Structure formats: C-alpha cells, structure tokens
C-alpha cells in the first residue's frame, strides 16, 4: 500500500518540518515509518491495522495510559532520560491520539528514541539478561495499574482454548491440499491439547493472578543503548490484562531460538539454554518480589506454551488461507508453524534444566 506520509504527518501538532520517511519492515501486522524532521526529535509514524485491531481509538487509549503510568513511576529521572525509557505519543492538531485518513486508516505518531539499537535476535547473554530485566521491569512498574481498566484489544488473545477453537474451525473449512500438506503439524497440535490447557485451568480457578502484561515480548520490541543497556519496551499495542507467563514465555521463544521464527531448515532450530539462564536472571532481578510460587512453578513451561500458541496461530492462518499475518510466499505460515512446533519440542528436551534455573534464580537473593 502507498501512503502520503508527509501529508499524514502534517496532521500532527509538530513544529519541525518533514524531511523524509523510511518504512521499517519488521512487524507482521502494522505499517511503520521513521520520519526525519528538521529538528530532533525524529518520529515514528504507525498505521494501526484496523482489520486486526477492531477498536483502534481504545487501543491507543491503552497505549497512552500505560505510558502515562510509566512516566509517573519514573518521575525521579530527568526528562531527557524519560524520553528514552517511555514511549511518548504526539497529538494531532485537533488534540487526538490518532489521525484518521480519508481511507479510514488510523495513524499515530511517537517520538523516535535516538541513538539506540534494536535486535532481531540475541547474540550475547548480556542482551538476554537486559531483556529479562526490562520486560520484568515493565511488569513490576505496571503492577499497581488496575489491569481491568485496559481495553481488551484482541479478545482472548492468548487464551489457549479459544485458539484451539479457531484452529478446529479452520481445519473444518480447509482445502484437502492444505490439510494434507499440514498433516504432521495438525497431529502435533492435537497431541498437545491437554497439556497446553493446564495453565488456563489454573487461571480459571483464580490460582494465577491477572496483571498488566505486554503480550508481545519479542526481542525486537526492546530498545537498547549503544552500550547494551535495555532502555525501553516498545510496541504496546497488545498491552492487556494477562498473566506473567505470557510475557516470560513469549520472550524466551524468540531469544533462545537458535533460528529464525520462520526457519525452513528445522535442523537449525535449537534452544539456547545459556540465553535462557541470562534472561531468567534479569527477569528475576526485576520480578523476584512481585511473583508468587505458583507463578514461578509454571514459568519454564510458559516458554513451551507460548511457542506452541503462536505455532497454532500460524497453522490456523495457513489453513484459513493467510488472512491474518503478512506472508511472503504461499506456505510461509505453514513453515512458521513447523518451525515453532519444532522449537516447542526442543524446549521440552530442556525442561528439567529450565525448571532448575527458574527455581534457583527465584530463591537467589530472596530473604537474605
Ligand atoms: C505479531 O506484528 P507483530 O510482529 O508485532 C502478533 C504477535 C506474534 C508475532 C509473531 C497483534 O506481532 O502476537 O507473536 O506477530 N501480533 C498480533 O512474530 O497478532
Ligand atoms: Mg506486536
């Protein structure tokens, strides 16, 4: 899709002039552009996909209120530092959080955080540690935000039974060709059904607390300083009420994968236990006092669960004819599903060690 970025930018209440724009291609859902202006700050302009997110104004309210909350919690740091640690949203000339163009597209504008680095994969345990610390910090800083006030931008986003129901429906309507090609993945998904529903049961029994969660904790959603310090968590589109397992598990899924999310050569898909250990250390540094024993007990398993659930969503989208995720070729979603399911198996092979590490890091420093 072609957009008149300069014209869209003009609707925001910004003094400096537009110089140029570059598209940032990484997410699967929205369209994102970096805008250079005559003065700093530069900006990030984003089109929020309103096919995926049905109520964009409410989504933006979530994002802005979470930023406000983080700002109030970090009130002690300088303004310049704050801009690097919390997403700052610009308003339109009419005072709104978003501009709606003549085609019905919703746009929002954020300050660009200068001089920072963003990774698609982790290559160093220090980065894994820092990512753990910052995702943990996001959870601990939002602990006193009433999560029931957040709008549910995508209902049942990480609800396993709901994702299975969507999968069952897609399977019932899929072509024979697709079903045949996806046979192994379909069988794998079905074989893990009971195991994958166990955390949801605990939530239903109120044994696991609900809190504010980010829900898309991939490593590319962390901004780092040049020196390797994690500064800021970005992409707060899916901030909603959730459980700690969503954020821990989804982060591990990306950080500890030795291959890309859509790797076709499954022999490359492995699990990096060293990065897992580093992430867990960082995470516990921020969360040790905020997390209960029952949550800790299932933390390692959450990596398998979150890897599985995205695999299931990719598989469902493949069977549905690729209506949700952006794809680059015909079997892209199926390849993503296979790759994620492979990773889920690799995680299972490491589960005993993963549980040991979580337990040890939880106790480290506690009560001493
Ligand atoms: C989507 O668009 P992006 O990359 O931020 C998806 C996440 C998936 C991710 C897989 C709203 O996120 O749930 O984990 O792709 N977001 C939505 O890479 O569905
Ligand atoms: Mg996202």
């Amino acid at each position: 899709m072609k957009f008149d970025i300069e014209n869209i930018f003009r609707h925001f209440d910004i003094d400096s002039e537009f110089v140029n724009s570059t598209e940032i291609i990484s997410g699967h859902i929205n369209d994102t552009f970096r805008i250079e202006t005559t003065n700093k700050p530069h900006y990030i302009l984003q089109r929020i996909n309103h096919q995926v997110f049905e109520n964009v104004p409410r989504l933006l309210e979530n994002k802005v209120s979470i930023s406000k909350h983080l700002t109030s919690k970090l009130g002690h740091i300088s303004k310049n530092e704050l801009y690097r640690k919390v997403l700052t949203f610009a308003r339109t000339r009419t005072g709104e959080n978003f501009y709606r163009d003549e085609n019905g597209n919703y746009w929002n504008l954020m300050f660009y955080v200068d001089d920072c680095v963003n990774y698609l994969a982790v290559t160093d345990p220090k980065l894994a540690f820092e990512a753990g610390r910052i995702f943990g910090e996001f959870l601990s800083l939002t602990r006193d935000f009433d999560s029931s006030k957040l709008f549910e931008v995508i209902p049942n986003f990480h609800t396993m039974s709901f994702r299975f129901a969507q999968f069952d429906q897609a399977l019932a309507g899929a072509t024979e060709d697709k079903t045949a090609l996806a046979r192994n993945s379909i069988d794998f998904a079905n074989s893990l059904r009971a195991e994958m529903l166990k955390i949801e049961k605990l939530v239903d029994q109120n044994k696991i607390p609900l809190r504010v969660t980010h829900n898309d904790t991939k490593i590319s959603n962390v901004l780092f300083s040049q020196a390797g310090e994690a500064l800021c968590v970005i992409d707060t589109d899916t901030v909603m009420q959730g459980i700690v397992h969503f954020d821990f598990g989804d982060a591990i899924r990306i950080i500890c994968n030795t291959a890309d999310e859509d790797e076709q050569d499954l022999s490359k898909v492995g699990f990096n236990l060293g990065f897992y250990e580093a992430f867990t250390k960082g995470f516990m540094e921020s969360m040790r006092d905020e997390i209960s024993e029952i949550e800790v007990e299932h933390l390692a398993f959450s990596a398998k669960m979150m890897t599985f659930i995205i695999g299931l969503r990719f598989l469902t989208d493949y069977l549905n004819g690729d209506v949700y995720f952006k794809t680059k070729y015909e079997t892209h979603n199926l390849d993503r599903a296979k790759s994620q399911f492979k990773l889920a198996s690799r995680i299972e092979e490491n589960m005993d060690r993963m549980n040991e590490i979580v337990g040890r890091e939880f106790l480290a420093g506690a009560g001493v």
Side-chain angles (χ1 to χ4, degrees):
M1 244 181 279
K2 272 260 162 245
F3 302 107
D4 185 351
I5 298 298
E6 183 170 358
N7 179 45
I8 293 161
F9 176 73
R10 281 215 191 92
H11 287 82
F12 287 87
D13 191 14
I14 303 296
D15 291 336
S16 50
E17 293 292 313
F18 177 96
V19 176
N20 61 46
S21 72
T22 340
E23 182 162 9
I24 300 176
I25 302 178
S26 88
H28 295 342
I29 308 286
N30 297 326
D31 297 305
T32 310
F33 301 84
R34 177 181 186 271
I35 295 188
E36 207 171 305
T37 49
T38 40
N39 303 312
K40 281 189 180 172
H42 301 309
Y43 295 91
I44 291 288
L45 180 71
Q46 196 164 46
R47 184 184 77 95
I48 307 275
N49 182 327
H50 58 279
Q51 257 87 43
V52 165
F53 297 109
E54 281 170 18
N55 193 333
V56 180
R58 297 284 313 266
L59 172 150
L60 284 163
E61 264 172 44
N62 278 359
K63 288 171 76 102
V64 170
S65 60
I66 286 295
S67 274
K68 270 196 191 143
H69 182 83
L70 294 174
T71 302
S72 74
K73 301 291 284 196
L74 295 170
H76 52 287
I77 64 177
S78 74
K79 219 166 178 172
N80 278 345
E81 241 186 299
L82 202 57
Y83 284 144
R84 299 176 69 68
K85 286 195 159 281
V86 182
L87 292 176
T88 311
F89 295 88
R91 289 190 179 271
T92 62
R93 296 194 186 278
T94 51
E96 315 276 352
N97 291 330
F98 60 88
Y99 163 65
R100 191 153 195 217
D101 70 21
E102 56 280 8
N103 299 315
N105 294 306
Y106 290 91
W107 296 88
N108 77 108
L109 190 75
M110 283 163 282
F111 286 28
Y112 177 78
V113 184
D114 241 340
D115 202 27
C116 62
V117 205
N118 184 231
Y119 299 91
L120 289 178
V122 164
T123 45
D124 180 340
K126 278 191 203 124
L127 293 181
F129 175 88
E130 278 294 302
R133 190 185 57 71
I134 201 95
F135 281 130
E137 188 183 278
F138 183 87
L139 294 177
S140 83
L141 290 177
T142 53
R143 192 73 181 105
D144 54 346
F145 186 104
D146 179 357
S147 61
S148 70
K149 298 244 153 57
L150 289 171
F151 175 66
E152 196 179 11
V153 285
I154 299 185
N156 293 311
F157 191 51
H158 289 322
T159 308
M160 192 63 79
S161 56
F162 174 74
R163 294 303 184 187
F164 266 116
Q166 286 186 320
F167 163 69
D168 290 339
Q169 203 179 2
L171 191 55
T175 64
E176 266 178 36
D177 285 359
K178 286 196 175 198
T179 311
L181 212 57
R183 190 72 261 161
N184 288 343
S185 302
I186 294 167
D187 292 346
F188 181 84
N190 279 325
S191 73
L192 261 64
R193 224 175 252 259
E195 182 189 358
M196 287 301 144
L197 287 164
K198 80 179 188 199
I199 293 219
E200 192 177 318
K201 279 216 183 89
L202 294 172
V203 174
D204 291 345
Q205 295 163 358
N206 295 322
K207 292 197 173 142
I208 295 186
L210 296 172
R211 44 170 92 233
V212 174
T213 47
H214 180 278
N215 296 314
D216 191 11
T217 48
K218 51 172 86 169
I219 189 69
S220 58
N221 282 339
V222 178
L223 299 184
F224 289 88
S225 72
Q226 302 283 355
E229 180 204 357
L231 297 171
C232 176
V233 171
I234 60 169
D235 182 9
T236 47
D237 292 1
T238 47
V239 168
M240 285 179 273
Q241 193 172 51
I243 56 175
V244 63
H245 306 88
F246 297 161
D247 283 4
F248 184 89
D250 198 36
I252 295 298
R253 164 179 93 79
I254 297 280
I255 289 173
C256 301
N257 190 354
T258 55
D260 290 337
E261 187 181 62
D262 58 354
E263 178 59 60
Q264 294 179 39
D265 179 354
L266 297 183
S267 69
K268 289 189 181 155
V269 178
F271 187 77
N272 188 319
L273 197 61
F275 290 172
Y276 172 83
E277 184 164 14
F279 181 92
T280 305
K281 272 185 203 282
F283 191 82
M284 283 300 176
E285 195 171 291
S286 302
M287 282 295 282
R288 194 168 288 120
D289 298 335
E290 312 273 348
I291 194 168
S292 62
E293 257 173 58
I294 185 158
E295 289 176 295
V296 173
E297 209 180 295
H298 300 280
L299 218 46
F301 170 73
S302 74
K304 183 177 178 190
M305 177 179 82
M306 295 311 289
T307 304
F308 177 85
I309 201 169
I310 189 66
L312 186 66
R313 289 173 60 204
F314 286 142
L315 178 60
T316 301
D317 200 32
Y318 171 72
L319 295 170
N320 277 335
D322 307 321
V323 291
Y324 186 90
F325 295 106
K326 293 181 189 171
T327 50
K328 297 204 174 98
Y329 59 95
E330 213 184 307
T331 53
H332 200 173
N333 270 321
L334 179 59
D335 287 342
R336 286 170 174 153
K338 284 183 184 165
S339 193
Q340 293 299 297
F341 285 167
K342 181 76 189 183
L343 181 62
S345 303
R346 292 266 174 258
I347 292 174
E348 180 56 43
E349 291 161 16
N350 285 275
M351 197 53 79
D352 291 347
R353 285 287 294 130
M354 289 166 68
N355 273 317
E356 264 172 51
I357 291 167
V358 154
R360 189 191 68 211
E361 291 308 322
F362 175 53
L363 293 177
V368 260

